[in-house]
Amino acid sequence: MAHKYEIYRNDTRTLRFGSYHGCEVLRISPNKLRITKPQRWKNKGAEQVGDPIVIECLQAKKGHLPHAISLKDSKNVTLSSVTLFSSPMFGFIENDCSKTTYLKCRVDRRPLSNDLKKRASARLRSLNADAFHSYNAPIGPRYLQCSAQFQGDDCIAINSEFHLILNHQQNNLRVLARRHMNLQKGDPVMFLDDRGIPHPLTTIKNIQPHHPLTDPEKQWIQTLPLSQKFKSSMRSTFLVTLDAPRPLPKDSLIYATNKMAEGFQIIDGSFAQTRSRGLLIQANNGIIKNNKINACHAESIKVAPEFWWLAAGPVNQLVIANNEISNSAREAIQITSHGAKRTDISPPGTHNAITISNNTILDSPPPHIYATSTAELTLKNNRAKKNGNHIPPVLEIKRCSGVSVDGKPFPPQL
């Protein structure tokens, strides 16, 4: 019937609370539902009678296309001054593209004055999922002077794909693809095991389709901490031959390091009012600079591989500089990596060479910057304010090495 429930304030038309999902829904009549929140949200939200609610439904009578603008297997494309007011899922999505430029592209709610459909009040949400999303880019996209707000998920997400290792013998791996298989012969690959520990780089010598999933494999997959979406849809298996043996736990992940959006840029943007993250980054050698990020109900900038979504991977060489982050509901900047069950923090060197400098963080909860699992982490000249008053930025650093804070060595947190 429905997937997400977003409740807005009646006075400001901004989100009252991030969103509810996993609810129990009872249809009482054609125009009345009883929605019961999961226990973890019983005392959150503070919704009030009269607050409007937006319900994302998964069915459409005549069907629907999933995304508004989609690019596939393209190079050097430029989209300039494109504005989106709605989409069933993502706004701008690209798969297996290189060096796409998004210049002054915008996702927002359509004003009532020029809406295509006459309605009593203006739309509360722009589109249903991510505003911008890039998958498996060999050379990363450039988001220049772009903006996104009031969509149903992240403002920008950039990632590659993890694939699940079912078993291995010597240098042969039986691998279950996340969606389509993006690994190819000759690709450099790395691994992340179920404890969040990275394993060294190697190269694919050969790859070929393999026999269907067995019943025991299907049962085992259902026990993993993965989105049910993938548990239900992953069916394509492959035999991957490496150039050298790799001793790996059964439920380790494999990903191609040459499809990690090398050199991506997010510059001079404006991102706001989302139930989720502002920027979600799993990409290499990039820069996030001169952006304004406001009122994200999760982390404003999050850098982390995600087992749940099979979103790869750990990050090397990243600069986060000169951004203004305000009213973040969680950490303004989070750099982290965990094992599959989120009980293990990955070791230093999972992420490498990250610089966070000259950022201003306003009216956001501590810790303002939370970092784990990183080797060579530099923090410099970051500032925080609360209610207009300068305060020292609160840092929380775990399992990092080579840390420098304002030019001074920070004790290793191993």
Side-chain angles (χ1 to χ4, degrees):
M1 181 182 300
H3 177 53
K4 290 184 297 217
Y5 301 83
E6 295 180 52
I7 298 172
Y8 289 74
R9 293 173 58 104
N10 194 36
D11 52 354
T12 64
R13 295 173 53 82
T14 57
L15 282 168
R16 171 80 68 182
F17 178 68
S19 69
Y20 300 124
H21 47 86
C23 301
E24 293 181 7
V25 182
L26 177 65
R27 185 192 297 270
I28 297 174
S29 67
N31 64 347
K32 184 180 290 185
L33 303 175
R34 176 179 291 142
I35 302 169
T36 304
K37 297 187 287 187
Q39 185 64 38
R40 64 184 179 277
W41 286 317
K42 286 291 185 183
N43 299 318
K44 295 184 178 181
E47 54 270 8
Q48 300 176 11
V49 173
D51 283 348
I53 181 171
V54 175
I55 301 175
E56 179 196 52
C57 296
L58 300 181
Q59 297 86 16
K61 289 183 179 179
K62 296 182 180 181
H64 67 271
L65 296 173
H67 312 297
I69 296 178
S70 180
L71 301 176
K72 172 71 174 172
D73 293 319
S74 301
K75 295 181 179 179
N76 300 312
V77 173
T78 296
L79 296 174
S80 180
S81 300
V82 179
T83 297
L84 292 180
F85 291 123
S86 67
S87 174
M89 287 186 65
F90 295 166
F92 300 85
I93 183 173
E94 61 172 53
N95 285 277
D96 309 299
C97 296
S98 277
K99 210 174 181 180
T100 309
T101 298
Y102 300 86
L103 176 63
K104 297 182 180 179
C105 292
R106 186 167 69 99
V107 169
D108 203 351
R109 304 187 287 198
R110 181 186 284 274
L112 187 62
S113 60
N114 67 356
D115 203 329
L116 301 179
K117 178 180 175 62
K118 291 183 178 180
R119 58 182 86 235
S121 60
R123 286 168 53 90
L124 288 162
R125 188 159 65 188
S126 52
L127 46 85
N128 278 347
D130 297 348
F132 301 87
H133 201 127
S134 172
Y135 287 106
N136 303 319
I139 301 175
R142 299 189 303 161
Y143 300 99
L144 309 177
Q145 301 178 58
C146 292
S147 64
Q149 61 179 352
F150 294 108
Q151 72 282 344
D153 216 321
D154 306 320
C155 296
I156 294 180
I158 306 174
N159 65 274
S160 187
E161 295 180 278
F162 284 128
H163 306 287
L164 182 64
I165 297 174
L166 299 172
N167 60 55
H168 69 92
Q169 291 183 339
Q170 296 299 315
N171 58 341
N172 290 317
L173 309 178
R174 177 165 158 80
V175 175
L176 179 63
R178 178 186 186 265
R179 296 182 303 162
H180 70 284
M181 174 53 77
N182 72 327
L183 303 179
Q184 298 175 317
K185 181 179 179 180
D187 278 350
V189 290
M190 287 190 69
F191 312 89
L192 203 66
D193 71 23
D194 65 335
R195 294 173 298 165
I197 298 174
H199 291 254
L201 185 73
T202 187
T203 302
I204 294 179
K205 188 176 179 180
N206 194 36
I207 182 169
Q208 59 189 28
H210 212 218
H211 62 76
L213 286 171
T214 65
D215 288 338
E217 286 174 332
K218 292 177 183 178
Q219 294 168 5
W220 172 72
I221 289 166
Q222 292 302 314
T223 69
L224 298 177
L226 295 175
S227 166
Q228 189 60 46
K229 169 184 176 181
F230 295 119
K231 291 181 183 181
S232 303
S233 64
M234 293 191 305
R235 291 292 180 266
S236 300
T237 64
F238 294 81
L239 181 65
V240 177
T241 302
L242 306 176
D243 65 354
R246 284 288 183 269
L248 298 164
K250 179 180 179 181
D251 48 355
S252 296
L253 306 174
I254 181 173
Y255 68 101
T257 60
N258 61 344
K259 298 176 175 69
M260 288 283 293
E262 185 78 17
F264 77 91
Q265 299 177 14
I266 304 173
I267 299 175
D268 295 330
S270 177
F271 308 103
Q273 297 291 342
T274 174
R275 55 162 284 275
S276 195
R277 286 74 58 103
L279 310 178
L280 177 60
I281 305 300
Q282 295 126 0
N284 287 334
N285 195 25
I287 185 166
I288 300 170
K289 183 175 72 172
N290 296 344
N291 301 286
K292 291 188 175 182
I293 307 173
N294 177 50
C296 297
H297 283 257
E299 302 85 356
S300 293
I301 299 177
K302 182 174 182 178
V303 178
E306 295 181 310
F307 193 100
W308 179 262
W309 294 112
L310 294 176
V315 168
N316 297 310
Q317 302 283 342
L318 173 63
V319 174
I320 301 173
N322 302 315
N323 301 287
E324 181 182 283
I325 300 170
S326 55
N327 302 299
S328 188
R330 296 190 61 184
E331 297 94 335
I333 300 174
Q334 184 191 93
I335 315 292
T336 189
S337 178
H338 294 88
K341 296 179 181 179
R342 298 190 62 80
T343 55
D344 301 302
I345 295 176
S346 301
T350 305
H351 301 299
N352 294 279
I354 294 178
T355 297
I356 303 172
S357 66
N358 297 300
N359 299 286
T360 301
I361 299 168
L362 308 174
D363 299 315
S364 300
H368 302 111
I369 299 173
Y370 175 71
T372 77
S373 315
T374 305
E376 304 306 319
L377 173 66
T378 300
L379 305 169
K380 188 175 182 180
N381 295 335
N382 297 292
R383 300 167 296 278
K385 287 184 179 181
K386 184 176 182 179
N387 299 324
N389 300 312
H390 288 276
I391 60 173
V394 178
L395 313 178
E396 186 172 343
I397 299 173
K398 298 179 179 178
R399 298 207 75 185
C400 291
S401 63
V403 180
S404 170
V405 178
D406 293 326
K408 298 178 181 179
F410 193 84
Q413 305 294 308
L414 304 178

